[in-house]
Amino acid sequence: MLRVVVLVSGGGTNLQAIVDAVEKGEITHTEIVGVISNNKNAYALERAKKHGIPARCVSPKEFESRAQFNKALLEAVDGYTPDLVVLAGFLVVIPPEMIEKYQNRMINIHPSLIPSFCGTGYYGLKVHEAALERGVKVTGATVHFVDEGTDTGPILLQKAVEIRQGDTPEVLQRRVMEQAEWQILPRAIDLIANGKVTVSGGKTKMTE
Ligand code: GAR
């Protein structure tokens, strides 16, 4: 069983997609052992509780310094002894110690086709605003392993989504979630759980 911890900050629709996929058997050999939010009001925490998944908040507001928060976050993650850490809309800069410890064992979902519209400052709705502002006709989502850069790690899965005339950032965000994020994030976890992914030289390789 792959022990998975999911880190969240907000609504938690990606968390929901993972939970549903595990319950339906679309993700196999996987147990979601914990959910951690940096925001105590995140609806994602409620979603976890409804499914009987241990959930807790570790907020930077509870600590005097960033270093103390970083230590507490890493301890909280370690406490679940995960095989895989999934960043599902987690809008916190990951502590360097955590990146090192979970190298090739931590993935992130980003709402664009990396390397477009990614890096510092590109998160949530801002990504979709930037895509519409640039006038691209296709966008999408990417699941990647987390390295020391922002959205620079080895790419695992991507899925393209068409942009339509008259799209607002909110409409586009919803379409990217439905058509890409909620599909590729569960699939990525299933691939990892079934030993089908290897990482080498900054790239991933899929075996059947
Ligand atoms: C998702 O669109 C996710 O891709 C994005 O935040 C949203 C969280 O929604 N993540 C980033 O922008 C990371 N750079 P959710 O809480 O409903 O899953």
Side-chain angles (χ1 to χ4, degrees):
M1 281 297 217
L2 187 84
R3 293 174 60 83
V4 175
V5 165
V6 185
L7 271 51
V8 295
S9 296
T13 64
N14 278 285
L15 168 67
Q16 190 70 56
I18 299 165
V19 170
D20 291 347
V22 170
E23 288 181 357
K24 282 191 231 156
E26 290 165 5
I27 299 177
T28 57
H29 304 117
T30 296
E31 186 186 357
I32 305 170
V33 292
V35 170
I36 300 171
S37 171
N38 62 306
N39 163 15
K40 68 174 169 33
N41 297 318
Y43 185 62
L45 289 172
E46 297 305 313
R47 293 182 191 270
K49 284 174 194 158
K50 276 186 194 159
H51 290 264
I53 301 166
R56 57 176 292 197
C57 170
V58 182
S59 166
K61 291 178 190 156
E62 296 161 17
F63 300 91
E64 275 172 25
S65 70
R66 199 71 190 180
Q68 282 173 347
F69 165 71
N70 285 352
K71 189 166 172 278
L73 180 65
L74 184 55
E75 278 170 9
V77 170
D78 285 349
Y80 292 112
T81 56
D83 302 304
L84 181 71
V85 178
V86 176
L87 310 182
F90 189 57
L91 304 180
V92 164
V93 176
I94 302 300
E97 314 83 62
M98 190 161 144
I99 292 172
E100 203 187 327
K101 181 156 189 183
Y102 289 94
Q103 196 190 20
N104 297 339
R105 291 192 295 146
M106 178 157 51
I107 59 173
N108 178 49
I109 177 89
H110 182 77
S112 76
L113 293 173
I114 289 175
S116 290
F117 311 114
C118 62
T120 308
Y122 287 99
Y123 59 88
L125 217 47
K126 288 180 193 289
V127 178
H128 305 293
E129 284 165 3
L132 291 175
E133 179 60 31
R134 181 62 184 84
V136 294
K137 303 302 177 200
V138 173
T139 184
T142 303
V143 178
H144 64 92
F145 283 99
V146 176
D147 70 3
E148 53 291 334
T150 305
D151 303 327
T152 54
I155 291 171
L156 186 44
L157 291 175
Q158 294 190 295
K159 190 157 188 287
V161 173
E162 266 183 41
I163 290 179
R164 297 191 194 141
Q165 203 74 35
D167 272 351
T168 61
E170 289 80 6
V171 166
L172 181 58
Q173 179 180 50
R174 180 77 192 181
R175 190 179 312 120
V176 168
M177 284 176 158
E178 281 177 1
Q179 296 185 3
E181 295 184 47
W182 302 342
Q183 296 179 22
I184 63 174
L185 187 55
R187 198 182 317 142
I189 296 170
D190 185 58
L191 286 169
I192 293 168
N194 287 282
K196 293 185 175 165
V197 181
T198 53
V199 186
S200 129
K203 293 188 187 127
T204 63
K205 211 163 95 183
M206 241 66 91
T207 52
E208 271 317 308

